[in-house]
Amino acid sequence: MPDRADGPIEIEIRNLGGIESLSTSIPSGVTILAGANATNRTSFLRSVAAALGASDAAISLKTDAESGSVTLSFDGQKATREFSQSGGTVHRRGDPLSDAPPLVDTYVSIFATNPARSTIRNGGTGLREVLMRGVDTDAIDAEIQSLKSEQADLEAQLAEIERAQGRLPDKRERRAELADELAETEETIATVEDTIEAYRASEAEIEAAEEYLSTLEETRNKLRQVEREIEETERTRDTLVEERATLEGELESLSVSADRRADLSDRKGALESEIDALESTIAELSDIISHNQSILEDADALDVLGTDDEVVGQLDPSSSTVRCWTCGSEVDRETIESRIETMEAIRAEKNETLQEKRAERESVAEKLAAIEQNQTERERLKRELRETESAIEAEDRSLSELRDRASGLREEVSDLQEQVSETAELRDSDLPEAYERLNRLQHERGQLETRLERVESELTDLEATADQKETVSADLEQVRADLEAARGRVDRIERELIEEFNEQMADLIDLLGYENLSRVWIERLVDGQTTFEIHVVRDTVAGTVYEDTLSTLSESEREIVGIVVALSGYLVHDVKETVPLVLFDSVEAIDAERLAAMLEYVGQKVPYVLTALLPEQADAIDEQTIQAPAFEP
């Protein structure tokens, strides 16, 4: 049994449908609203639905009124919908009980045009979409896409970390090799310097050689400095070239066809025109329906099981015909009522199409926004690419200048070496060769130091990257868990809906006693796209069973199946937490005995149940001992 509210729901209606003024209340449990056709039962139910949060097409203003309202009060809560008319346009405002019209229309307002009942009448087409309206699948899909993107980023980071770990042994080995080479070079330099120092005993030779050797050493130092600058400039240029390639790749990935943007823009304009036309058509249909209802419903009282006949009489017109408001002729009420039902069905169809067009327009708008964002990113990348090109050109100019300087210094070194070799005082001495060797060794030492410094820097970066593995692995594990949970959320809800429907359907088939109807159940099919397939199983006289289709069910059986679809969505999506009331209308196809059992069953799951019945149905249910609370207008 559901939790019951402490008190009744107080209802006040003014100038809505065919009701001019009404103040009443309904207690918790099952309340039966009894009355003949054209006694404002539909206006009453649709007014209550509007206050609960049904779509704007649920109810309209009384034809001769400029404003109207409906208010529900219970358990310290208050829900209102207000309607006003100016310049031929009806304005709606207020604070309904729910801010989700699709949920109220589908799971609470179980009227003739209810989507759950309609989909069963149509053979079960769109059953999954009806049952899943309580799930924000777009938000779940967006969350899944975000988690998949985050997962890909983390997996890329982890792959980079593992590559870094794989490179560590070779880098460490290379560092050791360079350190050993540098140590050997240092030892050799020390030996050569000792040799040169020994030559200092012969001052005359040294003085003769040192003038040329000093100039030669100075020039070589200049050359080494220029060569280092060339190496550094080449590395900088290589880095800039890599950046340029990266920017060009990113720019290429963001390319957008102008035709694609134009097509989307045209489609958006076409959708907006279609939406305007649909909104205009729905508004016109609502006004026509409202006007016709006001012709039929010109009384203000309602009757329920156990109330005075005088109240019902106030709502039931005494004549069986009415005067047509367009031509003035007498027209059967049934004809107008049939036209109203047809127009209501058309309006519901147009409203459903309107929602689809609005959703498509939002999708197109999002795609256009993404294209604009891509265009902004392309402009930024183009600016960076131009800046990089300029930087590469500057480095090329520097390289050209440095290479020219290096070429000049090499010529100077060659000239000085020739002069040294021609110096008579040094011709018989090993000192020039020692200086030459020392110069080469010092140059090699500088190169080794540079290489070792670079390897150590790379090694530090690799070790820092490898140290992130534990954190990135933990983050990736969490994202994978979140992604699995998000993917399973829709599956879980789908399974809960099917389980709820199958259990309730089994209960009601057993409770209502439909002959030769063994089972009605939903099967969840997953083949690229998830669908719900409804099965009908019948009994034969011989005791065997066979599968049948919805089209072979009686009207009463189909209506029960549609009601169970709506009730399953109501319970699984926890609509009761927001809207503790379910409304029934147009249930005449269900015989009184089964209707009584069905209402009692629903009343065990929903705090408040309000249903409109013809007097003969209400009387028959009373004979079936359904104890409906008194309905006091």
Side-chain angles (χ1 to χ4, degrees), residues 31 54 85 89 162 194 287 306 366-367 411 428 447 464 516 520 524 526 531 538 563 566 569 579 607 619:
T31 298
Q85 182 173 258
T89 302
E162 290 173 348
D194 290 344
D287 290 342
E366 289 175 1
K367 291 176 182 177
E411 290 180 2
D428 299 328
Q447 289 182 322
N516 81 349
V520 178
R524 180 173 178 265
V526 181
T531 58
R538 289 194 178 278
I563 288 170
V579 184
D619 293 342

Side-chain angles (χ1 to χ4, degrees), residues 530-563:
T530 303
T531 58
F532 288 178
E533 182 173 327
I534 193 162
H535 297 273
V536 176
V537 180
R538 289 194 178 278
D539 295 316
T540 65
V541 177
T544 60
V545 296
Y546 66 95
E547 184 157 346
D548 213 337
T549 63
L550 285 173
S551 62
T552 64
L553 294 178
S554 67
E555 186 179 2
S556 171
E557 291 168 337
R558 279 197 300 271
E559 292 301 332
I560 288 295
V561 174
I563 288 170

Side-chain angles (χ1 to χ4, degrees), residues 20 47 76 79 99 162 200 217 221 265 279 282 383 463 491 510 516 530 558:
E20 182 176 345
S47 297
D99 58 359
E162 290 173 348
R200 292 188 181 278
E217 179 64 20
N221 286 336
S265 181
E279 288 175 342
I282 291 170
R383 289 195 301 272
E463 289 172 341
D491 289 348
D510 183 57
N516 81 349
T530 303
R558 279 197 300 271

Side-chain angles (χ1 to χ4, degrees), residues 271-520:
L271 286 170
E272 288 174 346
S273 297
E274 292 177 23
I275 289 169
D276 290 342
L278 284 170
E279 288 175 342
S280 176
T281 300
I282 291 170
E284 290 174 1
L285 283 171
S286 297
D287 290 342
I288 293 171
I289 291 169
S290 173
H291 194 84
N292 278 275
Q293 287 175 336
S294 68
I295 297 299
L296 292 177
E297 301 176 352
D298 55 359
D300 305 319
L302 299 170
D303 183 32
V304 294
L305 188 63
T307 60
D308 292 339
D309 293 337
E310 181 180 347
V311 177
V312 176
Q314 293 173 3
L315 291 173
D316 190 5
S318 58
S319 62
S320 61
T321 61
V322 294
R323 185 174 301 277
C324 178
W325 59 276
T326 57
C327 65
S329 62
E330 295 293 327
V331 182
D332 289 342
R333 288 181 176 274
E334 292 182 356
T335 300
I336 295 179
E337 289 170 354
S338 176
R339 296 284 176 83
I340 290 174
E341 289 178 359
T342 300
M343 287 188 286
E344 285 178 335
I346 293 172
R347 180 176 61 185
E349 180 181 348
K350 295 292 184 182
N351 196 53
E352 185 173 351
T353 302
L354 176 60
Q355 300 309 315
E356 292 173 355
K357 295 295 182 181
R358 285 174 174 169
E360 185 180 355
R361 180 182 61 185
E362 290 301 318
S363 175
V364 171
E366 289 175 1
K367 291 176 182 177
L368 279 171
I371 289 175
E372 293 302 324
Q373 184 177 356
N374 281 354
Q375 186 60 29
T376 300
E377 182 65 10
R378 281 175 57 82
E379 293 302 323
R380 182 187 68 78
L381 290 172
K382 286 180 180 178
R383 289 195 301 272
E384 290 190 15
L385 190 57
R386 288 194 296 269
E387 293 171 358
T388 304
E389 291 284 1
S390 298
I392 290 173
E393 292 174 0
E395 295 299 327
D396 285 339
R397 289 192 296 270
S398 296
L399 275 175
S400 179
E401 295 173 359
L402 288 170
R403 284 167 179 162
D404 289 343
R405 287 175 58 193
S407 177
L409 288 170
R410 290 190 186 98
E411 290 180 2
E412 290 184 31
V413 168
S414 178
D415 291 342
L416 286 169
Q417 286 176 331
E418 186 177 351
Q419 291 179 28
V420 168
S421 64
E422 292 175 355
T423 302
E425 292 84 356
L426 298 177
R427 189 167 293 153
D428 299 328
S429 171
D430 292 334
L431 186 57
E433 183 181 346
Y435 271 107
E436 291 262 351
R437 189 181 181 194
L438 178 62
N439 180 68
R440 288 195 304 271
L441 289 170
Q442 288 175 335
H443 179 65
E444 290 175 9
R445 179 175 62 184
Q447 289 182 322
L448 286 170
E449 288 173 342
T450 300
R451 291 173 191 165
L452 182 59
E453 181 180 350
R454 187 182 308 144
V455 168
E456 287 179 339
S457 175
E458 292 173 356
L459 189 57
T460 299
D461 292 341
L462 288 174
E463 289 172 341
T465 300
D467 289 342
Q468 298 174 10
K469 183 174 183 178
E470 183 176 350
T471 300
V472 173
S473 296
D475 291 344
L476 179 58
E477 183 178 352
Q478 182 61 50
V479 168
R480 284 172 174 166
D482 293 344
L483 181 58
E484 185 66 23
R487 283 172 170 162
R489 197 174 307 149
V490 172
D491 289 348
R492 177 181 56 79
I493 294 172
E494 288 178 345
R495 296 181 191 280
E496 287 181 7
L497 284 165
I498 291 175
E499 182 179 354
E500 186 69 37
F501 173 86
N502 292 343
E503 288 180 359
Q504 289 186 39
M505 204 66 241
D507 290 344
L508 283 173
I509 288 175
D510 183 57
L511 180 65
L512 304 185
Y514 283 108
E515 296 181 0
N516 81 349
L517 187 60
S518 175
R519 185 184 178 200
V520 178

Side-chain angles (χ1 to χ4, degrees), residues 186 188-198 438 442 445:
E186 294 279 5
T188 304
I189 287 174
T191 301
V192 173
E193 286 177 340
D194 290 344
T195 300
I196 292 174
E197 187 64 27
L438 178 62
Q442 288 175 335
R445 179 175 62 184

Side-chain angles (χ1 to χ4, degrees), residues 19-204:
I19 300 174
E20 182 176 345
S21 179
L22 176 65
S23 178
T24 188
S25 65
I26 60 171
S28 60
V30 179
T31 298
I32 299 175
L33 179 64
N37 289 329
T39 55
N40 284 328
R41 296 176 305 152
T42 297
S43 292
F44 181 79
L45 288 174
R46 291 186 179 278
S47 297
V48 173
L52 295 177
S55 61
D56 290 344
I59 191 66
S60 58
L61 269 173
K62 202 169 183 293
T63 306
D64 57 355
E66 293 185 357
S67 64
S69 64
V70 55
T71 301
L72 304 184
S73 304
F74 67 101
D75 287 350
Q77 299 186 71
K78 188 173 183 179
T80 63
R81 287 299 287 274
E82 299 173 351
F83 302 80
S84 61
Q85 182 173 258
S86 62
T89 302
V90 176
H91 303 279
R92 298 169 174 85
R93 60 183 183 277
D95 187 15
L97 197 61
S98 170
D99 58 359
L103 298 190
V104 178
D105 291 344
T106 306
Y107 307 129
V108 176
S109 304
I110 310 180
F111 302 154
T113 56
N114 174 267
R117 295 172 68 177
S118 296
T119 195
I120 296 302
R121 294 192 200 105
N122 295 329
T125 302
L127 178 59
R128 179 183 178 276
E129 187 275 331
V130 168
L131 281 169
M132 290 294 287
R133 285 185 183 177
V135 182
D136 190 349
T137 53
D138 288 342
I140 294 176
D141 289 342
E143 180 185 356
I144 288 174
Q145 292 304 316
S146 176
L147 287 169
K148 287 172 67 177
S149 177
E150 187 176 355
Q151 180 186 18
D153 289 343
L154 289 170
E155 287 174 344
Q157 291 181 43
L158 190 59
E160 179 61 29
I161 289 171
E162 290 173 348
R163 285 194 294 271
Q165 287 181 318
R167 293 168 59 193
L168 279 173
D170 289 342
K171 274 305 174 192
R172 286 169 177 157
E173 183 178 351
R174 180 57 178 158
R175 179 179 62 180
E177 291 174 354
L178 288 171
D180 290 344
E181 289 181 30
L182 182 59
E184 291 176 3
T185 301
E186 294 279 5
E187 291 179 2
T188 304
I189 287 174
T191 301
V192 173
E193 286 177 340
D194 290 344
T195 300
I196 292 174
E197 187 64 27
Y199 277 113
R200 292 188 181 278
S202 176
E203 290 293 334

